[in-house]
Amino acid sequence: MSTATEPRKSSSRGKAPAGEKVADWADGRLGIYSLAKANMRKIFPDHWSFLLGEICLFSFIIILLTGVYLTLFFVPSMAHVEYTGSFAPMQGVMMSEAYASTLDISFDVRGGLLVRQIHHWAALLFVVGIFMHMMRVFFTGAFRKPREVNWLFGFLLLVLAVFTGLTGYSLPDDLLSGVGIRFMEGAILAVPVVGTYLQMFIFGGEFPGYDIIPRFFVAHVLLLPGIMLGLVVAHLILIVYHKHTHYAGPGRTNDNVVGMPLLPVYMAKAGGFFFLVFGVITIIAATVTINPVWVLGPYRPDQISTNAQPDWYLGFSEGLVRMMPGWEWVIPGGYTLNFGLLVPLAVFPGLLAVMGLYPFFESWVTKDPREHHIAERPRNNPTRTGFGMAWLTAFAVAMLAGGNDLWATHFHLSINAITWFCRIGFFVLPVLVFFATRRICLGLQRRDAEKVLHGRESGIIKRLPHGEFVEVHAPLSQEQLYTLTAHEQQKPLDLGPSTDKNGVRRPINPVERVRARFSKAYFGDQAQIAKPTREEYKAITESHDEHH
C-alpha cells in the first residue's frame, strides 16, 4: 500500500526585517494575519448617537487605569490609627486606615488627588453613558432580534455599575460613605427571616463591624470589575458578530451594512475620541471638586450630617424609600415587618427588571421572527416610545423624591408637600406622559406624511391668476422621501372570527387574547398613521403640476 505525501510549505521567506520576522513568528502560532484580514476591514455605520456607547467604553478604560493607580496606595482596613499626615486639620484625629490612606492619596501621593477625581468623574460618566446609550437603543428598537442578549449584557452592566459605585464611594470610610453603608445595613435588616444573617455575614459583626471595608474592596477592585470586563468583551464581540444597526436611508436594508471600515477610518476616529473623552474628564476633575472626604471627616455615628446625599445613580432608590410611608406590621410572635423598606426594595429591582426584560415582551407581542438591523425613528413606534417616556417619568419622580430635603431648603417649599407630590406623581404622571407622548408621535407621523405628499414649506407666498394666495412647497429629495417612508408598519394580530363556519364559538386561548390586545395597542389604527402610498404621491404630484 502506498500513500501520497505533500511536502509542507516552508514559512521562511529568506532574509527579512526584524519586525517582519516577529510578525511571521506570531502569525505562524496565533494566526493573527488571517484573523486581522477577516475583521480589520469590517464595516461600521456612522451616526452621532453611536458616540454614547463609545463614551461608556472609554470611561470604563479610564476607570480601570486610574483604579490600578489608586489601589497601589489605598489600605482597605478598618483598624483605627492616629492621623499624622500633611493635612493639618486632621492631625491627631483617630480614624480608620482606609480613611487615613485616602487622605494620604489626596495630599501626599504625587497626582493622587487628580487621579481620585478622574476616577470618580469617569465612574459617574460611565453610569450616565450606559443609561443614555440604553435609552438610545430602546427608543430606536435596536434591541430587537438578534440583539436581545446584547441588550441584557448592557442592562447587567448598568446594574453592576451602580453596585460598583456603591462599593467604591464607601471605601474611604468618611462620613458620607458611612451614612450610605448604614442605610444599606438598614435595608438588609428589613429583609424577612434572613436579614440578620445577611447583615452579620456582610459586616462581620454588629455595625460597623471590621470586615465591610475589606470585603467591599475585594468586590470593587476584583469581583465586579472582572464581571463587567467580561460583559464588555462579550458585548463588543456580539456587536462585531451581529454588525451595528444603521438608520434608514437609500441603499440601507436589513441585509447589508453601510459605513466606514474598522481600519483605518473607524479606529482613527475612535482613538482620537478616546483622548478627547480623557481630556474632558481630566479638565473636569482638575477644576470641579467631587467627594472632598476631608471636609466631612471620618465616619462617626454621632457626627451625621444632614447634607449627606448619595450619588445620583442611587437617588432613585433613595427616593423610593422617602416616598414610602413608614408602615409596619407586627405579626404574631412579635416579629415586625418594615414595609417602609420592604416595598421600595421590591419596587426598585422590579422597575429595573421591567426595562431589562422589555425586548422579550415586545418580541412576544409582535411574533416577528425576522432580524432587524435598521434602527427605527422613535415617532414610528408611538406605543414603545410612550412606554419608555413613562418609565423615565417614574424614574425622574423617584429622583426628585430622593432630594426632597434639598428641594425644600433651596426653594423654600414644604418637604411634606414635595413628598406627597412625588407619591401621587409616581403613579399618575407616567400614565399622563404615556398618552401625551403617543399623541405627539402620531402628530409627527402626520407631519411626515404631509411632507411626503406636499413637500416642505418654503416660506414663499405665490399669488395665483384667480387671486388666491398659496405657499409654495418645495418637493423633497428622493433620499428624504426614502428616509420618511422606509419604516415598516405591521398589522395587529388577528384572532379570526369568534365562531366557526357552523356557528359554534371557537375556543381562544386567553393568552392569545391578551397578546391581540397588546398588538392592537402597538399597531392598531389608533397607534400609527398609515404611510402615503406610491399612488397617493403620484396623484398629488400630478395634480400639483396641473394646478401650477
Side-chain angles (χ1 to χ4, degrees):
M1 178 179 292
S2 62
T3 58
T5 61
E6 181 180 351
R8 295 181 182 271
K9 294 182 180 179
S10 175
S11 60
S12 61
R13 301 179 182 177
K15 293 183 178 180
E20 186 175 340
K21 290 181 179 180
V22 173
D24 287 343
W25 183 90
D27 180 57
R29 288 152 182 81
L30 303 176
I32 295 177
Y33 176 76
S34 58
L35 182 66
K37 184 178 180 181
N39 294 282
M40 289 299 99
R41 298 294 294 176
K42 197 168 284 289
I43 299 299
F44 280 85
D46 195 13
H47 191 267
W48 70 265
S49 63
F50 299 159
L51 296 179
L52 297 172
E54 295 181 19
I55 291 174
C56 301
L57 176 61
F58 300 151
S59 300
F60 185 66
I61 295 174
I62 295 170
I63 292 170
L64 294 180
L65 294 176
T66 54
V68 170
Y69 185 79
L70 295 174
T71 304
L72 300 176
F73 306 100
F74 181 73
V75 181
S77 171
M78 298 186 70
H80 279 71
V81 296
E82 180 180 344
Y83 180 70
T84 58
S86 61
F87 186 59
M90 288 288 178
Q91 289 183 356
V93 177
M94 296 298 296
M95 60 186 65
S96 66
E97 285 189 281
Y99 185 72
S101 64
T102 304
L103 292 179
D104 290 338
I105 292 173
S106 302
F107 298 106
D108 298 315
V109 175
R110 185 178 297 274
L113 180 58
L114 179 62
V115 175
R116 268 195 64 230
Q117 298 269 107
I118 293 175
H119 187 75
H120 202 141
W121 277 113
L124 293 181
L125 186 63
F126 179 60
V127 179
V128 173
I130 293 179
F131 189 82
M132 298 299 293
H133 177 60
M134 291 192 66
M135 290 300 100
R136 197 278 302 175
V137 172
F138 177 85
F139 285 113
T140 60
F143 55 76
R144 293 173 295 174
K145 183 182 177 180
R147 297 178 177 83
E148 300 96 333
V149 175
N150 225 8
W151 167 268
L152 286 181
F153 285 166
F155 172 74
L156 291 176
L157 277 171
L158 176 62
V159 174
L160 290 175
V162 171
F163 283 101
T164 305
L166 171 65
T167 56
Y169 88 78
S170 300
L171 289 179
D173 197 30
D174 63 316
L175 188 59
L176 176 62
S177 66
V179 173
I181 296 177
R182 185 66 167 176
F183 175 82
M184 186 191 73
E185 188 225 13
I188 294 174
L189 289 175
V191 178
V193 183
V194 298
T196 53
Y197 297 97
L198 288 174
Q199 189 273 342
M200 294 295 289
F201 172 76
I202 295 175
F203 288 85
E206 294 291 340
F207 184 86
Y210 294 96
D211 297 331
I212 186 63
I213 296 298
R215 289 176 177 175
F216 268 19
F217 180 76
V218 173
H220 183 71
V221 305
L222 181 63
L223 179 62
L224 295 176
I227 298 174
M228 293 173 68
L229 183 60
L231 288 173
V232 168
V233 172
H235 187 75
L236 295 176
I237 290 175
L238 285 181
I239 288 178
V240 173
Y241 177 71
H242 291 144
K243 312 294 189 301
H244 209 295
T245 56
H246 51 190
Y247 287 88
R252 301 178 183 180
T253 68
N254 283 318
D255 301 321
N256 66 359
V257 183
V258 179
M260 299 292 182
L262 180 62
L263 279 178
V265 179
Y266 198 82
M267 288 298 295
K269 294 172 65 175
F273 191 56
F274 168 75
F275 289 107
L276 181 62
V277 171
F278 206 156
V280 170
I281 293 178
T282 303
I283 292 174
I284 296 174
T287 55
V288 182
T289 302
I290 188 171
N291 195 19
V293 295
W294 55 88
V295 174
L296 297 177
Y299 174 70
R300 285 178 51 185
D302 60 336
Q303 295 294 325
I304 298 299
S305 169
T306 57
N307 291 326
Q309 297 288 333
D311 279 333
W312 75 269
Y313 47 83
L314 289 172
F316 178 56
S317 58
E318 177 87 6
L320 293 175
V321 174
R322 296 190 183 190
M323 283 190 294
M324 183 65 194
W327 295 342
E328 293 183 351
W329 181 24
V330 180
I331 63 177
Y335 192 87
T336 302
L337 294 177
N338 184 357
F339 291 103
L341 283 174
L342 280 178
V343 173
L345 286 177
V347 173
F348 175 63
L351 285 175
L352 292 178
V354 165
M355 187 57 66
L357 299 177
Y358 177 84
F360 302 95
F361 168 74
E362 185 171 309
S363 177
W364 172 76
V365 171
T366 60
K367 299 182 69 174
D368 189 357
R370 299 170 301 165
E371 291 189 358
H372 296 273
H373 300 289
I374 295 182
E376 287 185 315
R377 301 172 77 197
R379 67 185 64 180
N380 291 331
N381 197 318
T383 302
R384 180 206 296 147
T385 304
F387 177 83
M389 291 302 300
W391 189 91
L392 287 176
T393 302
F395 178 83
V397 172
M399 291 286 288
L400 174 66
N404 57 359
D405 54 338
L406 296 181
W407 291 104
T409 55
H410 282 66
F411 294 95
H412 307 289
L413 301 172
S414 168
I415 191 170
N416 290 328
I418 297 174
T419 302
W420 274 105
F421 170 81
C422 293
R423 287 174 178 174
I424 298 173
F426 187 76
F427 297 99
V428 175
L429 289 180
V431 178
L432 298 179
V433 169
F434 172 81
F435 287 105
T437 301
R438 202 161 77 150
R439 296 299 303 173
I440 292 173
C441 290
L442 292 174
L444 292 174
Q445 284 189 25
R446 291 190 183 93
R447 181 170 174 266
D448 287 345
E450 185 72 16
K451 288 171 65 176
V452 169
L453 294 176
H454 301 283
R456 61 177 178 83
E457 298 175 352
S458 64
I460 300 175
I461 305 299
K462 182 178 180 180
R463 184 179 183 182
L464 300 181
H466 58 273
E468 180 185 359
F469 288 92
V470 296
E471 182 180 12
V472 178
H473 284 226
L476 301 181
S477 65
Q478 290 299 314
E479 180 179 354
Q480 293 173 317
L481 290 173
Y482 184 91
T483 302
L484 294 179
T485 59
H487 60 282
E488 298 178 350
Q489 290 191 323
Q490 292 183 240
K491 298 295 183 182
L493 181 65
D494 186 10
L495 295 177
S498 58
T499 58
D500 59 18
K501 60 181 180 180
N502 298 318
V504 179
R505 187 176 183 83
R506 294 173 52 244
I508 299 177
N509 191 326
V511 175
E512 290 300 312
R513 291 185 182 274
V514 174
R515 191 203 304 267
R517 290 181 180 179
F518 277 114
S519 180
K520 184 178 180 181
Y522 273 82
F523 310 115
D525 295 335
Q526 302 299 320
Q528 58 184 358
I529 305 301
K531 295 190 300 182
T533 63
R534 186 183 301 272
E535 291 73 18
E536 289 177 329
Y537 177 76
K538 185 177 180 181
I540 289 289
T541 305
E542 290 177 352
S543 66
H544 182 272
D545 294 338
E546 293 175 0
H547 186 66
H548 294 285

